[in-house]
Amino acid sequence: MMIPRVSRRLLPSSCLFHVQIKNLNHMEILKRKLPTDFAMEHFDGFYSKVYQARWPSIRLGLQYETKLCAVVNPFTDEDETIANLKIQGAIELSEFYRKQIRRVERHKLRRKILDEKRAKKLAILAEKRGIKPEEIQSDVEVSDVSDAEIGAGSTTDSDDLQLLFETDIEAMRLKEGFMDLNNQDVDLYDFIPCSEMIYMENKPLLDPSTEFKLNEQEIEIERVEVPLLNFPDHPKIFAFPRGSRLQFETPSAIGETKLNNYYLMNGAEILPVITLNIQPQDKVADLCAAPGGQALAALFSQMPSVMFCCDSSSTKFATMKNFFNSYLPRVAAQQCQLFMESLSAIDVDCPPAFDKVLLHVPSTRDRESLLDNTDNIFKGTRANERIGLPERQRRLLKRGLQLLKVGGSLVYSTKSLSPIQNDAVVQFAITELEQEMGVKFSVDDLKEAYRPMRALYRMYTFNYGIQVLPFLPSNFGPSYFSKINRTQ
């Protein structure tokens, strides 16, 4: 029986693709892949090892648009803007933080009372049996803690408790296969999928000096626990609650000044500015300033006496200057000396002059790498640039730290989930500067300070910083930030 020939016009387009693909060799197939496809392959191969059970949730969040926050412009009618945002259902972050602090403290007090009850019961049982309390192997059950024992108010919702006290990265290290930067030699090439290596085979070999390997002996880096965040009076920052699908309206020019009433930015990217804890009369630098959102938030605080902004991209720099004009009145610029230079942070030539430094370095920009093929860093033509990112980040961080006064602080941040671009860069920049120049640094341990924010953000704590993870109910990030202090 003859099988009738099916017209190609009747085949679905997907079938036609599979018919055509059979005639392509491996290199031709690779060339037909989009940069977003290569990005996903890379992330699946790398991040699944780092984040393990969390990776499917992170992966899903990365494929949707980020959640934004609104940074209110204090140079407009601030009260009117705040009232309108609250009517829309947005929450103000400093108020939210204070509320969550009370919930965290309440839970810790409850745990303390339960532990005391358990210790007393163990002591009684041990006395009856004539043994020491630590020799009792079985768990001792105790009654739950009543509201009266803690104080007025209801107990914290169990779902919120899980978010506030979920497992940190330290616990993940106990799982088999977790990549520990401190205990292994990690080669960057370990995290380039084979398909990418084939795709790069016609590229010139990288200069060995650009390879970034974690195989040098690290020094001891002091970590200082920070119990609480210090929210400034300005700017007021708003976000929609966890699970909300509401979106902010486009900012509008209001009042006599005709300045925009608020600025919309990734809700995770405002956290480095809060973490920096800018104080009155501080001299502040933003060394990779474009597009200008973090520098603008720092200016909104009305704290700096000097604000220095630079960026290596002349195009982005010109756009940033026009952007500032939409938000800042000239009188504000007179109160704070604003200096802007179109140059790389590495080329900034001045002595240690700054009290505070923001350094939001170029990175793989993981979410954008999955959503947009335009100028995607996973293009084959940008392979060398991508592999050289950690080295570039390390150089930028070293220069930023060199510009700090003794007692000053720098917040290093990226838009990547990669420990190679995050913790590893912090580790090596500090190590090299201490060995080369004899300067000393400490890193803030921000885990407890940011615990109350976990009711809104999904976070993990690494050795030297905080990682904000994409998560559909509250889809901020990805964003990593680390606060480094120059101690001498």
Side-chain angles (χ1 to χ4, degrees):
M1 176 180 174
M2 291 185 61
I3 300 175
R5 185 173 181 177
V6 179
S7 170
R8 291 171 63 88
R9 288 178 297 178
L10 300 178
L11 290 173
S13 58
S14 59
C15 292
L16 288 176
F17 175 78
H18 288 297
V19 169
Q20 294 168 359
I21 206 75
K22 289 181 180 179
N23 298 321
L24 299 176
N25 62 36
H26 188 63
M27 282 304 300
E28 288 175 327
I29 293 172
L30 289 175
K31 288 177 181 177
R32 290 188 176 221
K33 284 190 175 183
L34 296 172
T36 50
D37 299 325
F38 284 107
M40 184 60 84
E41 286 183 14
H42 176 77
F43 298 159
D44 281 337
F46 183 5
Y47 296 155
S48 61
K49 298 175 184 177
V50 177
Y51 297 100
Q52 297 190 9
R54 291 288 186 192
W55 172 237
S57 172
I58 298 169
R59 188 183 195 272
L60 183 62
L62 281 172
Q63 297 177 73
Y64 290 85
E65 291 295 332
T66 188
K67 190 169 183 176
L68 303 177
C69 72
V71 186
V72 177
N73 188 347
F75 303 115
T76 61
D77 190 341
E78 188 180 31
D79 292 339
E80 179 184 348
T81 302
I82 290 173
N84 288 335
L85 290 171
K86 287 185 175 180
I87 289 171
Q88 294 174 41
I91 54 175
E92 202 272 306
L93 289 196
S94 64
E95 293 177 0
F96 177 84
Y97 185 77
R98 288 191 290 269
K99 177 181 177 182
Q100 297 303 321
I101 285 174
R102 294 192 291 270
R103 302 178 83 174
V104 170
E105 290 175 345
R106 179 182 176 83
H107 175 73
K108 288 180 177 178
L109 179 58
R110 178 177 178 273
R111 294 304 312 168
K112 180 181 178 182
I113 294 172
L114 282 171
D115 289 342
E116 290 173 350
K117 285 185 176 183
R118 187 173 290 105
K120 288 180 181 178
K121 195 163 186 178
L122 275 172
I124 293 171
L125 286 174
E127 185 177 355
K128 287 181 179 179
R129 298 177 186 178
I131 59 176
K132 296 179 180 179
E134 54 268 23
E135 295 177 5
I136 300 178
Q137 299 295 325
S138 59
D139 292 334
V140 176
E141 294 185 4
V142 295
S143 60
D144 204 350
V145 180
S146 67
D147 288 347
E149 290 176 278
I150 300 176
S154 60
T155 57
T156 307
D157 182 80
S158 58
D159 290 339
D160 287 335
L161 284 179
Q162 184 177 356
L163 286 165
L164 292 173
F165 293 92
E166 66 181 349
T167 303
D168 291 308
I169 214 72
E170 290 86 354
M172 293 178 66
R173 290 196 182 93
L174 301 176
K175 297 183 179 180
E176 183 178 356
F178 179 77
M179 185 193 70
D180 189 339
L181 296 179
N182 292 321
N183 296 327
Q184 299 183 36
D185 291 342
V186 181
D187 189 334
L188 186 60
Y189 285 108
D190 290 343
F191 304 108
I192 303 175
C194 293
S195 60
E196 287 192 45
M197 292 299 289
I198 295 170
Y199 192 60
M200 292 164 51
E201 68 180 2
N202 294 322
K203 299 292 173 187
L205 293 176
L206 294 176
D207 185 325
S209 65
T210 65
E211 295 183 12
F212 190 85
K213 298 182 180 181
L214 306 186
N215 55 8
E216 300 178 15
Q217 185 176 2
E218 66 168 310
I219 64 168
E220 185 75 20
I221 299 176
E222 180 187 3
R223 288 196 288 177
V224 180
E225 183 172 340
V226 179
L228 295 172
L229 293 177
N230 181 26
F231 277 82
D233 293 335
H234 300 284
K236 298 297 183 183
I237 305 156
F238 284 82
F240 288 111
R242 173 164 44 95
S244 171
R245 300 183 65 183
L246 295 173
Q247 296 182 351
F248 291 104
E249 298 174 356
T250 303
S252 57
I254 62 173
E256 296 180 359
T257 61
K258 300 301 180 183
L259 298 173
N260 288 340
N261 53 351
Y262 53 76
Y263 173 64
L264 295 178
M265 64 189 301
N266 184 323
E269 291 177 26
I270 190 62
L271 301 183
V273 184
I274 296 170
T275 304
L276 195 57
N277 192 22
I278 300 171
Q279 297 298 304
Q281 301 305 305
D282 273 350
K283 294 179 175 62
V284 182
D286 189 342
L287 299 180
C288 296
Q294 291 184 340
L296 185 67
L299 288 165
F300 280 176
S301 72
Q302 303 176 60
M303 296 281 194
S305 61
V306 172
M307 186 78 201
F308 173 75
C309 300
C310 69
D311 198 275
S312 59
S313 170
S314 57
T315 304
K316 292 180 179 179
F317 182 81
T319 304
M320 181 173 64
K321 292 183 71 174
N322 294 329
F323 162 75
F324 279 172
N325 291 333
S326 301
Y327 286 92
L328 298 174
R330 292 187 178 181
V331 65
Q334 293 171 3
Q335 293 172 357
C336 170
Q337 298 181 62
L338 178 59
F339 300 96
M340 303 180 70
E341 295 286 345
S342 179
L343 79 166
S344 169
I346 295 171
D347 298 324
V348 175
D349 185 16
C350 70
F354 296 104
D355 302 289
K356 303 288 168 61
V357 171
L358 284 164
L359 185 62
H360 185 65
V361 297
S363 65
T364 45
R365 300 170 64 89
D366 294 353
R367 190 188 296 273
E368 288 89 338
S369 293
L370 293 181
L371 297 180
D372 188 2
N373 286 299
T374 305
D375 200 31
N376 192 309
I377 199 166
F378 282 86
K379 283 185 175 180
T381 54
R382 300 184 68 186
N384 286 3
E385 178 187 352
R386 183 174 72 255
I387 294 175
L389 269 176
E391 171 64 18
R392 182 183 178 190
Q393 293 160 345
R394 181 183 63 83
R395 292 176 63 206
L396 286 167
L397 179 52
K398 285 180 67 176
R399 186 61 189 139
L401 292 173
Q402 289 169 342
L403 295 173
L404 275 181
K405 294 179 179 177
V406 175
S409 300
L410 177 148
V411 174
Y412 170 86
S413 61
T414 75
K415 296 178 74 171
S416 173
L417 291 159
S418 169
I420 299 289
Q421 299 177 55
N422 298 333
D423 255 25
V425 170
V426 172
Q427 171 187 313
F428 275 85
I430 293 176
T431 298
E432 289 182 3
L433 278 179
E434 293 199 2
Q435 291 173 344
E436 294 168 3
M437 301 177 60
V439 292
K440 293 292 183 181
F441 299 95
S442 67
V443 175
D444 281 356
D445 182 346
L446 298 167
K447 182 169 73 174
E448 289 305 315
Y450 268 98
R451 189 176 297 283
M453 297 300 285
R454 293 186 180 204
L456 181 62
Y457 295 83
R458 173 158 285 187
M459 297 178 168
Y460 269 155
T461 307
F462 282 90
N463 278 341
Y464 307 121
I466 296 284
Q467 179 75 66
V468 178
L469 302 177
F471 172 55
L472 275 184
S474 213
N475 206 15
F476 300 111
S479 180
Y480 168 91
F481 54 94
S482 172
K483 186 176 181 182
I484 307 166
N485 311 296
R486 181 170 178 179
T487 56
Q488 71 176 50

